[in-house]
Amino acid sequence: MKIQKLDNMAVEGNSSYPSEISIGLKTDRSIFIWNKAAENIFGYLAIEAVGQDISIIFSENNFPREKKMLENILEGDSFQYEICCKTKLGERICVLFNASPIMDKMGKVMGISKIATDVTDQNEMEKKIATLASIVDSSDDAIISKTLNGIITSWNRSATKMFGYTEDEAIGRHISLLIPPESVVEEELIMENIIKGEKIDHFETARIAKDGTEKFISLTVSPIKNRKGDVIGVSKIARDIADKDQQDEKQAILAAIVNSSDDAIISKTLQGIITSWNQAAFKMFGYTEEEAIGKHISLIIPKDRLDEETKIIESLSRGEKIDHFETIRIAKNGALRDISLTISPIRGRRGKIIGASKIARDISMRKEAEKQRQNYTKRLQELNKYKDEFMVMASHELKTPLTVIMANLQVLHEMMENDPHLILLEKVLKQVNKLSKLISNLLNVSKIEAGQLELNPTKFDLNELLAELIDNLQQTTKDHKIIYAKKQRKLMINADREKIEQVVINLISNAIKYSRETGRIIVNATQNTDVVRVNVKDEGIGIPKEDLENIFLRFFRVSGSASSYSGSGVGLYISSEIIKNHGGKLWAESEIGKGSVFNFSLPAAKEE
Ligand code: ADP
């Protein structure tokens, strides 16, 4: 604050610059300092001015404002303000006054010092002020400036509209005119920031208008600095957010939504104290609104889950939302409720987290359905297991008598060599053979399904096995030529010989079955370091590309012409499972009308 000592002042003023106006006023507003620059600018000589009321340099319109300013300065305030004055000749001239109280040694206000630090070209200044004034005046936002002590120094048209006070009523009054009692602290905090030179942006708050209504506004507060950069005042821009009616309506709608929700909606402070409790919360937990509000949220948390709340609060304090957290809460009557919780932080006007809102959805029905589904799946698995076991047992039991029948039929066959009824016996034998194959396939499938496919591995030469099998299979067909160039070397594998035999027979039988009347079947076997690979190539009907993988599925048969061949669709499924169980791979390549190649690879036996 600029304090000038009255007794050091000359009547002429002490301004060192001739262009700087220096005027001194006594407490009754009479002039006692009037320097050269003041003489030049205002046209009154010092002898004319001294002793006169300061009103001589103001028009009737401007003087009331000046009067208010001076009253505030006499209260001890000092500030800078622009004002238009009138010269002796009646010309309008605008100046920027730095006004401060003059105090005696005891600090008592003895007068006022007004220094106009700058007097710009009259027209320029006027134009500038007029432009600024029209901008300020036409703004839809209330624009107010005040001193650091809170005295209103400017007040635009929108401020009048928003708060109801005219410019004359507002200027010179303290800003607390607009501040609700509970927000006084808030204003002090704002001022602390402003004094530090900080700006406050879009701070949402409420102010009171002349008629007592509450106005919800968004405030932008900036410090006003002088040329030296000192903060000498404050500008406030207030934007109307919503009038109270609208706010009330919004609140009523929200309240109705909250109350009609099927989800329990609860809000609480960061300390866990319940601050709101809707109808559904009452239904879900049994406590009425009166019983719940003010209590700690642990009211509905089972003892063994109390630590959940600590974790929730931690997340909330970090500003995080908790989505669909499934947990259990306890109702007034002790019943446990399965719920899905969504918890969001509630922020205060300044963005600080002040609490949390909880939405709890009752998920007992869903949980119950889930439990039932689990039970059902479990039962289904059990049933499947019984079915698999039954199938293994049944096919096994079927096989035993059939083996006895076959053995006896074969003996009979030998005995009836020249019997005319031999043909009948041969028909029976053929069908029994088919039945036997079917049953052993059934046994194989059910064993695979039941996870009971047992392997009895021995070390043997696959080269040898292939040669032997192909010899036998060649006996079953005259129309097809099965070619196998037997290798000079052994192809040792460690595998279940009987099962590998089954795979080879299956692949070669398919090659015969799905070939035209005649054709070649070429079998080849190779070994690279640790893998033995066999392929069976035919010149048959081929397999459509889209079915190349399906043919290994249980009961899958290619549709169309292929289905006219008899079969059950399990041979390749069993073969592929056998190879997989040996740590190998079975796959096919094919071209429709040209033929197919079935390949399998197996790990080679380790050399000893
Ligand atoms: P099945 O021969 O008893 O039907 P598989 O599991 O052995 O059953 O074969 C499945 C299907 O794959 C057959 O129905 C057939 O359509 C096709 N298929 C198998 N091998 C060949 C092949 N060498 N040439 C053409 N199609 C084949």
Side-chain angles (χ1 to χ4, degrees):
M1 196 182 285
K2 210 178 210 165
I3 299 172
Q4 296 177 355
K5 298 276 162 22
L6 187 61
D7 26 45
N8 289 344
M9 297 265 185
V11 170
E12 283 288 310
N14 65 350
S15 171
S16 44
Y17 305 103
S19 63
E20 203 174 64
I21 303 164
S22 178
I23 301 171
L25 301 179
K26 292 190 182 159
T27 49
D28 63 356
R29 294 198 307 256
S30 65
I31 301 166
F32 76 92
I33 299 172
W34 191 259
N35 75 345
K36 272 269 173 298
E39 284 185 340
N40 287 341
I41 302 288
F42 295 110
Y44 295 100
L45 292 173
I47 38 165
E48 286 176 287
V50 171
Q52 293 277 355
D53 193 277
I54 188 69
S55 64
I56 59 162
I57 58 161
F58 289 97
S59 68
E60 266 173 42
N61 283 344
N62 275 346
F63 189 58
R65 213 183 125 208
E66 169 72 3
K67 221 165 99 184
K68 271 212 186 93
M69 290 300 172
L70 297 180
E71 277 164 18
N72 284 309
I73 297 163
L74 288 174
E75 294 280 309
D77 226 349
S78 65
F79 46 84
Q80 199 175 46
Y81 62 99
E82 279 164 9
I83 196 159
C84 291
C85 307
K86 196 181 75 185
T87 67
K88 189 176 174 186
L89 295 175
E91 286 167 330
R92 204 170 128 90
I93 180 166
C94 300
V95 292
L96 181 67
F97 275 123
N98 257 325
S100 39
I102 304 171
M103 299 189 183
D104 66 8
K105 283 182 187 138
M106 308 300 289
K108 195 170 161 240
V109 180
M110 302 297 294
I112 294 169
S113 139
K114 286 164 66 103
I115 296 173
T117 49
D118 196 3
V119 180
T120 47
D121 169 53
Q122 198 174 317
N123 286 328
E124 268 300 295
M125 181 78 163
E126 244 178 280
K127 244 194 261 163
K128 245 195 214 165
I129 292 178
T131 319
L132 276 175
S134 77
I135 294 172
V136 168
D137 235 40
S138 62
S139 165
D140 281 338
D141 295 335
I143 304 178
I144 302 166
S145 59
K146 56 170 195 174
T147 66
L148 284 181
N149 289 342
I151 302 299
I152 299 168
T153 50
S154 85
W155 184 265
N156 75 342
R157 213 189 296 251
S158 287
T160 301
K161 230 159 101 196
M162 201 177 287
F163 301 112
Y165 298 98
T166 63
E167 190 180 351
D168 281 344
E169 283 171 322
I171 288 185
R173 300 275 297 270
H174 194 270
I175 193 74
S176 59
L177 184 69
L178 306 175
I179 303 176
E182 69 271 16
S183 300
V184 171
V185 184
E186 174 191 298
E187 178 69 13
E188 283 167 8
L189 286 171
I190 293 179
M191 288 311 293
E192 270 176 31
N193 284 319
I194 290 296
I195 289 167
K196 279 188 236 148
E198 283 163 19
K199 188 181 165 194
I200 287 154
D201 247 338
H202 302 300
F203 167 59
E204 293 188 2
T205 183
R207 291 290 178 261
I208 305 285
K210 192 178 174 183
D211 62 4
T213 57
E214 210 174 10
K215 298 282 173 188
F216 293 93
I217 56 164
S218 158
L219 260 189
T220 296
V221 190
S222 325
I224 302 174
K225 296 181 183 174
N226 66 10
R227 286 193 192 153
K228 284 193 280 173
D230 301 330
V231 179
I232 54 160
V234 180
S235 84
K236 285 192 170 196
I237 302 182
R239 174 158 297 176
D240 201 339
I241 313 178
D243 58 37
K244 184 90 173 79
D245 286 353
Q246 258 176 310
Q247 202 81 359
D248 279 350
E249 200 177 308
K250 253 196 212 160
Q251 224 155 9
I253 294 172
L254 275 177
I257 294 173
V258 167
N259 253 326
S260 63
S261 162
D262 280 338
D263 295 336
I265 303 179
I266 301 168
S267 58
K268 56 170 192 180
T269 64
L270 274 186
Q271 287 70 41
I273 303 298
I274 299 168
T275 51
S276 87
W277 186 264
N278 75 341
Q279 197 62 28
F282 163 63
K283 265 195 224 150
M284 203 175 287
F285 302 112
Y287 296 98
T288 63
E289 197 179 340
E290 289 77 41
E291 284 172 318
I293 288 183
K295 295 265 170 58
H296 193 267
I297 192 73
S298 56
L299 183 70
I300 55 165
I301 305 179
K303 282 203 176 55
D304 55 334
R305 286 179 183 261
L306 281 171
D307 59 325
E308 274 177 12
E309 182 63 15
T310 327
K311 282 186 201 135
I312 291 172
I313 298 283
E314 274 169 18
S315 311
L316 285 174
S317 312
R318 287 194 297 270
E320 289 165 11
K321 189 180 165 196
I322 294 158
D323 242 340
H324 302 300
F325 167 57
E326 292 190 1
T327 182
I328 295 171
R329 290 291 176 259
I330 189 161
K332 193 178 174 185
N333 63 5
L336 294 177
R337 302 262 182 262
D338 285 306
I339 57 163
S340 158
L341 268 185
T342 295
I343 309 175
S344 321
I346 302 176
R347 290 175 190 277
R349 284 191 181 136
R350 257 173 270 185
K352 207 176 133 213
I353 297 158
I354 54 167
S357 79
K358 283 192 172 194
I359 302 183
R361 172 156 296 178
D362 190 340
I363 51 167
S364 356
M365 299 263 273
R366 204 190 78 203
K367 283 274 172 195
E368 189 51 34
E370 246 168 48
K371 231 183 262 168
Q372 274 179 9
R373 202 173 47 231
Q374 272 167 8
N375 280 345
Y376 177 72
T377 325
K378 209 169 130 203
R379 287 218 19 95
L380 208 67
Q381 278 167 351
E382 272 168 14
L383 274 174
N384 268 331
K385 209 174 132 220
Y386 288 142
K387 187 204 78 189
D388 291 343
E389 277 166 10
F390 170 78
M391 288 296 285
V392 174
M393 190 197 73
S395 35
H396 195 81
E397 292 302 308
L398 285 169
K399 224 181 148 177
T400 324
L402 206 63
T403 319
V404 180
I405 295 173
M406 276 240 286
N408 286 301
L409 284 176
Q410 251 140 19
V411 177
L412 219 65
H413 187 258
E414 270 164 38
M415 285 164 61
M416 288 173 73
E417 208 170 338
N418 293 316
D419 195 303
H421 296 108
L422 185 68
I423 184 149
L424 290 178
L425 185 66
E426 274 176 349
K427 272 188 185 167
V428 176
L429 246 176
K430 205 173 160 196
Q431 291 309 314
V432 172
N433 239 321
K434 244 188 174 173
L435 196 60
S436 161
K437 259 192 211 151
L438 212 69
I439 289 173
S440 66
N441 268 344
L442 198 63
L443 183 62
N444 272 314
V445 172
S446 36
K447 275 191 171 170
I448 291 169
E449 300 286 280
Q452 289 179 10
L453 187 78
E454 284 162 17
L455 299 182
N456 297 311
T458 52
K459 206 165 164 185
F460 66 92
D461 178 10
L462 185 62
N463 186 25
E464 197 64 50
L465 178 76
L466 286 172
E468 192 186 309
L469 286 178
I470 286 162
D471 248 11
N472 292 342
L473 285 163
Q474 186 64 74
Q475 311 290 319
T476 65
T477 172
K478 291 183 201 75
D479 308 323
H480 299 88
K481 182 96 191 90
I482 312 175
I483 303 161
Y484 177 60
K486 195 178 171 197
K487 296 278 155 345
Q488 294 306 313
R489 53 171 294 194
K490 290 183 174 176
L491 300 173
M492 297 304 290
I493 57 171
N494 196 2
D496 187 319
R497 190 183 165 106
E498 221 174 279
K499 299 230 158 46
I500 299 299
E501 212 176 283
Q502 201 180 332
V503 173
V504 175
I505 294 174
N506 187 28
L507 295 184
I508 298 179
S509 313
N510 274 350
I512 297 170
K513 183 161 71 169
Y514 296 106
S515 287
R516 280 172 237 101
E517 299 301 304
T518 56
R520 287 181 308 164
I521 291 147
I522 302 164
V523 181
N524 195 17
T526 51
Q527 173 173 6
N528 65 24
T529 33
D530 43 11
V531 176
V532 175
R533 184 166 153 176
V534 176
N535 41 63
V536 179
K537 184 174 182 298
D538 64 50
E539 295 168 342
I541 59 170
I543 303 160
K545 266 216 159 31
E546 62 271 20
D547 285 334
L548 273 179
E549 284 178 14
N550 297 333
I551 52 174
F552 300 103
L553 299 176
R554 191 177 44 159
F555 305 126
F556 184 89
R557 307 201 68 219
V558 174
S559 56
S561 65
S563 57
S564 59
Y565 302 84
S566 79
S568 56
V570 293
L572 284 180
Y573 167 70
I574 295 168
S575 301
S576 138
E577 289 297 316
I578 291 174
I579 296 293
K580 268 195 244 165
N581 274 284
H582 278 90
K585 210 175 114 189
L586 171 62
W587 73 100
E589 295 151 56
S590 185
E591 204 173 318
I592 282 285
K594 285 207 168 156
S596 315
V597 188
F598 281 82
N599 310 277
F600 69 83
S601 60
L602 285 170
K606 299 247 170 349
E607 302 266 341
E608 264 146 37

